[in-house]
């Protein structure tokens, strides 16, 4: 009887964790959709407006603005949530993929048919997090700045010596969303605290 109760609680634990993880993943899906829609519209609007690409307008490009918005997010959100578009071949050092993001990039390179990488990890303070990553594949319009260097806008050529010669379909990097998992752990603990009195009675 005791073994049966223990086994049932182990199954319940895994079921509860899967449910909590599903909620986190759904939240990340919504955030991803908003970010990508904003990124795409912003980029095409920049191109369609015929704004010259120079030192004054370069920051309007989504690849640049996204990193700045992510950095400023800390002024508005204090629970540890973050996002960014990152690469293992970045032009901007602030968009350098870290170890868990590099693992996601390698995952998509090895399994290009996959569309989502969702995995737990611990940050530098040993706090529980989840990484939600989606691949950023090179599209035709990306080649304006990431194709041949001699065909890139002058401002890009003068500023950057890397991240050229991509082709349509190459993996540029990932959109990385990092979600703190403290609340997930707390919710699971609360579920079990409610069950403890009943287990004691049964035993």
């Amino acid at each position: 009887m005791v073994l049966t109760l223990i086994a049932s609680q182990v199954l319940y634990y895994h079921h509860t964790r899967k449910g909590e993880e599903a909620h986190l993943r759904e939240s990340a899906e919504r955030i991803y959709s908003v970010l990508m829609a904003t990124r795409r519209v912003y980029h095409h609007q920049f191109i369609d407006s015929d704004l010259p690409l120079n030192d004054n307008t370069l920051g309007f490009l989504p690849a640049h603005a996204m990193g700045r918005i992510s950095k400023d997010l800390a002024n508005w959100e204090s629970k540890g949530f973050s996002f960014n578009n990152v690469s293992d071949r970045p032009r901007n050092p602030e968009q350098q993929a870290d170890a868990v993001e590099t693992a996601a990039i390698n995952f998509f390179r090895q399994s290009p048919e996959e569309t989502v990488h969702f995995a737990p990890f611990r940050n530098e303070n040993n706090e529980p997090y989840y990484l939600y990553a989606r691949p950023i594949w090179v599209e035709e319009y990306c080649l304006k700045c990431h194709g041949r260097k001699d065909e890139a806008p002058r401002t890009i050529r003068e500023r950057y010596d890397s991240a050229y010669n991509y082709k349509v379909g190459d993996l540029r990097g990932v959109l990385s969303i990092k979600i703190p998992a403290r609340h997930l752990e707390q919710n699971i603990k609360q579920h079990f605290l409610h069950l403890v009195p009943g287990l004691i009675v049964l035993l």
Side-chain angles (χ1 to χ4, degrees):
M1 180 178 175
V2 172
L3 290 175
T4 301
L5 286 172
I6 293 173
S8 67
Q9 293 314 301
V10 170
L11 290 174
Y12 180 77
Y13 170 82
H14 286 294
H15 176 75
T16 302
R17 174 170 285 279
K18 289 295 182 184
E20 294 291 337
E21 288 177 346
H23 287 309
L24 286 183
R25 182 164 171 161
E26 287 171 7
S27 297
E29 289 278 358
R30 289 190 290 271
I31 294 165
Y32 164 78
S33 298
V34 172
L35 290 175
M36 289 305 291
T38 302
R39 190 177 191 273
R40 183 179 293 271
V41 170
Y42 201 4
H43 194 113
H44 283 290
Q45 182 60 42
F46 183 94
I47 293 173
D48 294 342
S49 69
D50 289 326
L51 280 171
L53 186 60
N54 54 44
D55 288 342
N56 293 325
T57 61
L58 188 63
F60 287 113
L61 284 172
H64 293 262
M66 189 78 77
R68 292 166 59 197
I69 293 169
S70 175
K71 191 173 181 178
D72 191 61
L73 181 66
N75 294 318
W76 309 94
E77 204 280 338
S78 61
K79 295 180 180 178
F81 170 84
S82 66
F83 65 84
N84 203 355
N85 38 220
V86 298
S87 174
D88 53 353
R89 293 174 57 192
R91 284 175 171 168
N92 186 340
E94 293 184 359
Q95 293 171 317
Q96 174 66 55
D98 62 20
V100 294
E101 292 164 337
T102 298
I105 292 172
N106 291 334
F107 169 80
F108 290 122
R109 285 209 174 104
Q110 294 168 9
S111 306
E113 73 283 359
E114 297 290 343
T115 59
V116 178
H117 179 73
F118 185 70
F121 72 97
R122 295 267 174 177
N123 70 1
E124 62 275 10
N125 297 320
N126 201 35
E127 297 168 326
Y129 270 76
Y130 279 86
L131 172 69
Y132 177 93
R134 295 285 291 264
I136 299 175
W137 301 104
V138 173
E139 299 179 60
E140 186 68 37
Y141 72 86
C142 303
L143 300 182
K144 180 178 176 67
C145 296
H146 292 283
R148 289 175 52 180
K149 183 177 181 179
D150 60 351
E151 295 179 351
R154 180 179 58 82
T155 301
I156 297 294
R157 295 197 309 269
E158 292 176 351
R159 273 177 168 261
Y160 305 110
D161 292 321
S162 61
Y164 293 105
N165 298 318
Y166 277 98
K167 296 179 175 57
V168 172
D170 285 349
L171 183 63
R172 178 75 183 92
V174 297
L175 194 145
S176 162
I177 300 174
K178 294 179 178 177
I179 311 167
R182 292 189 301 272
H183 293 299
L184 179 147
E185 302 292 343
Q186 290 168 0
N187 288 343
I188 293 174
K189 288 178 182 177
Q190 286 298 320
H191 280 296
F192 279 90
L193 285 176
H194 287 305
L195 291 174
V196 167
L199 286 174
I200 292 174
V201 171
L202 289 172
L203 294 173

